[in-house]
Amino acid sequence: MAPTHDHPGEQAAQDPIRLLEIRETPLSVDEIFRAVGDDAAGGTALFVGTVRNHDGGQDVGALGYSCHPSAQDEMRRVAEKVAADFPVRALAAVHRVGELKVGDLAVVVAVSCPHRAEAFAACRKLIDDLKHEVPIWKHQRFSDGTEEWVGAC
């Protein structure tokens, strides 16, 4: 991207995608927040998705996430599109797979931009598109013994 010419510090970051991972280990909000730090960013938006204790009127006892082998590539494609459509200084997204407990962090995404409105919009687009386009599936097991698979996040 070319400089904006408003201020030298507003030149676009060389590679705004700082961290993209699917991992089996616990997530850290601090890690993702640090990954999107940028001196030219005036706004940073962060979204944290946690495992809740209910869904659709049923008590969730346990759940697990799994993904297709293409999930990492699809995550990159989504991130690149967000970085191209917004003035992103830095972007990060990490999603858990494996067995999680109520309260665990399932996904953390963050975006920094020159201004807050752009950061909010880009972060919203990032999490919404990850949810709808990246092949990550949730297997919920309810306290009454029933279970369900929920497609893409």
Side-chain angles (χ1 to χ4, degrees):
M1 291 176 91
T4 64
H5 303 293
D6 292 330
H7 185 275
E10 290 184 22
Q11 292 180 3
Q14 294 293 25
D15 184 6
I17 300 172
R18 306 278 175 83
L19 174 63
L20 286 179
E21 286 187 12
I22 296 171
R23 60 171 74 147
E24 294 181 15
T25 56
L27 306 184
S28 164
V29 171
D30 290 339
E31 175 192 20
I32 284 55
F33 181 71
R34 280 192 306 273
V36 298
D38 190 287
D39 289 345
T44 299
L46 186 125
F47 173 81
V48 179
T50 57
V51 176
R52 63 180 178 265
N53 66 359
H54 69 283
D55 190 34
Q58 294 182 286
D59 292 332
V60 172
L63 66 77
Y65 286 96
S66 60
C67 68
H68 188 272
S70 68
Q72 185 77 33
D73 291 337
E74 289 301 308
M75 186 181 262
R76 174 154 291 278
R77 185 187 58 75
V78 166
E80 288 172 349
K81 177 91 168 80
V82 170
D85 290 348
F86 295 88
V88 172
R89 297 296 308 170
L91 175 152
V94 182
H95 202 296
R96 277 283 302 270
V97 291
E99 296 300 310
L100 282 76
K101 304 179 310 245
V102 170
D104 282 349
L105 306 184
V107 61
V108 181
V109 302
V111 179
S112 61
C113 293
H115 304 283
R116 72 176 173 272
E118 300 157 343
F120 279 127
C123 189
R124 173 91 188 233
K125 179 74 170 157
L126 178 60
I127 189 59
D128 287 350
D129 288 357
L130 286 176
K131 181 177 173 83
H132 293 106
E133 298 179 27
V134 178
I136 298 174
W137 307 286
K138 178 170 56 174
H139 183 210
Q140 297 188 118
R141 293 173 297 284
F142 300 105
S143 59
D144 67 1
T146 61
E147 58 186 56
E148 76 174 348
W149 283 92
V150 180
C153 295

